[in-house]
Amino acid sequence: MPTNNERREFIKKTALGTVGLSFAMSARSYGSILGANDRVNFAVVGANSRGRAHISAISKVNNASLGYLCDVDSRVFDSAGAHIEKAMGKKAKTEKDFRKLLENKYVDAITIATPEHWHAPMGIMGANAGKHVYIEKPCSHNPNETGMLVASQKKNKIVMQMGNQQRSGLASKEAMSDIRNGIIGKAYACKAWYANARKSIGVGKPAPVPEWLDWELWQGPAPRKEYKDNVVHYNWHWFKHWGTGELHNNGTHEIDISRWALGVDYPTKVSSSGGRYAFQDDWEYYDTQMVNYEFEGGKMITWEGRSCNGFDVYNRGRGVTIHGTEGTILLDRNSYQLFDMSGKLVKEVKEGAESATTNTMGEGILDVYHFNNFADAIREGKTLNAPIADASISTQLCHFGNISQETGRTLNIDPAKGQILNDKDALKNWSREYQKGWAPVV
């Protein structure tokens, strides 16, 4: 992982714009920076769930086209293809094997909305091929992949943004500006949460692979397992072989906002408690989890996840409260509220339009903002709102939470390097085994 100084230097260079980028880019990657008026040609990989949100957002990006749709589920090509044709005014070509897109000179940027075990390997492959990469959160399946992904961006000097789309929210940006200007005094603690009412996934049974699914490509870098009837499409989130649990699936967003609000990177200590309490089934992660992060300078973040009990907090299924010495901010995807020390509402800012909060697609105006920011960075070298060098830190914090839960103890972290200290058992979770021939290479 990059040090804090390396990450800040990356952000500084990105902010210099087109001129600064021209000196930092290799000949190949500089050739992929388009002119301000040039069209960005997208390929979307993964057309279920979040992939549909990508398609909708790209249709609203200035001067962009969506030429390719890639998925291992042949059923989605008709429905998603029709959606693309209606939104973009033309059909997209379809492809089952992602690797063929890497050879296509027409494709400027890939967006990754696949199962999580594919995120970093696919992002690394895309970067190595000179493609710009928009990668859904979490950006990796394990901490080692996070470092490799950041290294691939740095090596290939492409534009890479993570899908923590609230970073592009206008109301959220105003809240952060107000915090920096001292509106709540010193911001020192954040409480983040996610609540939903997910049902049991049952006990899967071995079954023939459906004719519409390429199970080999779906597994990709993950060691091979037999197909069971309760994994594809969404339930893979709850299996450690392919997913990363609710902490990554949804906690990444609010933990990222909390980091932004407090101005912190890596913590000094991480502790987690929880378990699988609601049902007895194949779900391997935790439906109830509390994670605490302590930072230098007397700051902390707490995340509460309840996957199977949708009782709202402040009438919201997800959000964050930011507490300071002179007030509190309540912030979610759709609004920013400021309260004084007596709890009186003194300011409210609503987002330009709404975004979904707890469904599986999460579609909304924040996606449009975030994709436009990504395209502007490709065309003009504008500053990314969530460059991978910074966004990856939020992913690492979620990995730390799950590792603490797995080991049953508090982790001590080097805040400068983001490394777990003096814990060989915890470090066993730092990487994973890969299917032969599929290990990512920077």
Side-chain angles (χ1 to χ4, degrees):
M1 286 300 295
T3 65
N4 292 345
N5 288 336
E6 288 174 333
R7 182 183 65 81
R8 293 189 181 103
E9 183 64 19
F10 171 84
I11 295 171
K12 178 181 177 182
K13 288 180 179 179
T14 304
L16 292 177
T18 307
V19 175
L21 282 170
S22 67
F23 290 102
M25 292 281 175
S26 65
R28 181 187 67 172
S29 55
Y30 179 71
S32 66
I33 290 289
L34 308 178
N37 297 317
D38 288 333
R39 187 179 301 273
V40 178
N41 299 311
F42 283 92
V44 171
V45 187
N48 285 293
S49 190
R50 278 298 292 166
R52 298 298 177 100
H54 286 202
I55 292 168
S56 293
I58 292 168
S59 73
K60 300 176 180 68
V61 169
N62 299 323
N63 201 16
S65 68
L66 205 174
Y68 287 85
L69 180 67
C70 182
D71 205 290
V72 297
D73 177 353
S74 62
R75 301 173 305 173
V76 306
F77 291 139
D78 288 340
S79 57
H83 182 50
I84 293 171
E85 186 174 9
K86 181 179 179 180
M88 306 291 293
K90 67 175 185 178
K91 292 183 178 180
K93 296 180 180 179
T94 59
E95 181 56 66
K96 181 175 69 172
D97 191 335
F98 157 78
R99 292 169 293 185
K100 293 184 179 180
L101 296 177
L102 303 182
E103 306 164 2
N104 192 315
K105 295 181 180 180
Y106 172 85
V107 176
D108 300 311
I110 59 170
T111 83
I112 301 171
T114 62
E116 291 159 359
H117 70 283
W118 255 118
H119 284 189
M122 191 174 288
I124 292 167
M125 292 168 68
N128 288 343
K131 307 301 183 186
H132 303 295
V133 178
Y134 184 104
I135 186 169
E136 268 303 321
K137 54 75 215 164
C139 65
S140 66
H141 182 265
N142 57 74
N144 188 61
E145 285 184 350
T146 312
M148 295 181 70
L149 185 67
V150 174
S152 74
Q153 184 282 323
K154 185 176 181 180
K155 175 184 176 181
N156 294 289
K157 297 181 175 63
I158 50 85
V159 176
M160 186 179 292
Q161 174 130 290
M162 193 168 86
N164 42 340
Q165 62 268 24
Q166 196 174 333
R167 285 273 183 151
S168 291
L170 303 183
S172 295
K173 287 182 178 181
E174 182 167 344
M176 298 304 156
S177 177
D178 285 350
I179 290 171
R180 301 295 179 262
N181 289 326
I183 202 166
I184 58 171
K186 176 190 173 183
Y188 60 85
C190 288
K191 164 73 175 188
W193 70 90
Y194 177 83
N196 207 336
R198 304 189 190 279
K199 305 302 181 183
S200 172
I201 65 172
V203 177
K205 298 177 181 178
V209 177
E211 53 84 21
W212 45 262
L213 177 67
D214 189 321
W215 181 233
E216 174 70 15
L217 275 178
W218 190 95
Q219 294 183 92
R224 297 298 176 256
K225 286 183 175 287
E226 67 176 338
Y227 179 83
K228 290 189 176 182
D229 60 8
N230 68 338
V231 174
V232 178
H233 274 297
Y234 195 77
N235 290 341
W236 54 261
H237 280 95
W238 323 126
F239 292 88
K240 295 179 181 179
H241 197 68
W242 304 294
T244 52
E246 199 76 90
L247 179 56
H248 282 277
N249 183 38
N250 279 296
T252 310
H253 288 291
E254 278 70 38
I255 289 172
D256 181 68
I257 294 302
S258 298
R259 278 190 52 236
W260 190 16
L262 298 183
V264 295
D265 290 335
Y266 296 113
T268 58
K269 290 184 178 181
V270 181
S271 60
S272 176
S273 61
R276 177 58 170 162
Y277 298 142
F279 302 101
Q280 293 184 345
D281 55 12
D282 283 346
W283 187 309
E284 294 175 351
Y285 276 105
Y286 327 108
D287 60 42
T288 306
Q289 189 174 9
M290 296 281 292
V291 188
N292 295 300
Y293 301 91
E294 297 179 31
F295 299 85
E296 293 179 321
K299 298 181 180 182
M300 67 175 294
I301 296 170
T302 297
W303 180 79
E304 176 184 356
R306 285 181 285 105
S307 300
C308 299
N309 184 307
F311 187 80
D312 290 346
V313 178
Y314 301 112
N315 297 314
R316 292 163 172 79
R318 68 187 314 151
V320 60
T321 51
I322 305 155
H323 303 280
T325 55
E326 298 177 24
T328 292
I329 286 174
L330 172 56
L331 184 63
D332 65 10
R333 292 182 174 183
N334 296 314
S335 68
Y336 149 36
Q337 293 181 331
L338 170 67
F339 297 87
D340 64 18
M341 293 296 281
S342 67
K344 178 183 177 182
L345 177 66
V346 296
K347 180 177 180 178
E348 183 171 19
V349 179
K350 292 189 179 296
E351 196 53 77
E354 288 202 354
S355 295
T357 56
T358 57
N359 66 16
T360 59
M361 189 178 297
E363 182 180 4
I365 192 65
L366 300 182
D367 293 320
V368 179
Y369 294 156
H370 214 44
F371 268 94
N372 267 297
N373 172 243
F374 178 60
D376 286 345
I378 294 171
R379 276 194 297 259
E380 306 169 50
K382 287 191 175 180
T383 303
L384 284 173
N385 291 332
I388 197 65
D390 180 81
S392 63
I393 297 174
S394 297
T395 292
Q396 293 298 74
L397 263 61
C398 295
H399 284 309
F400 293 152
N402 277 342
I403 293 173
S404 173
Q405 181 68 36
E406 184 76 14
T407 59
R409 58 178 171 271
T410 297
L411 303 181
N412 294 302
I413 310 295
D414 180 341
K417 297 181 179 180
Q419 295 288 334
I420 298 172
L421 297 173
N422 306 317
D423 195 327
K424 292 182 179 179
D425 288 338
L427 288 173
K428 292 177 182 178
N429 297 278
W430 197 257
S431 187
R432 72 166 305 163
E433 293 183 1
Y434 295 92
Q435 180 68 13
K436 185 178 181 180
W438 283 93
V441 177
V442 177

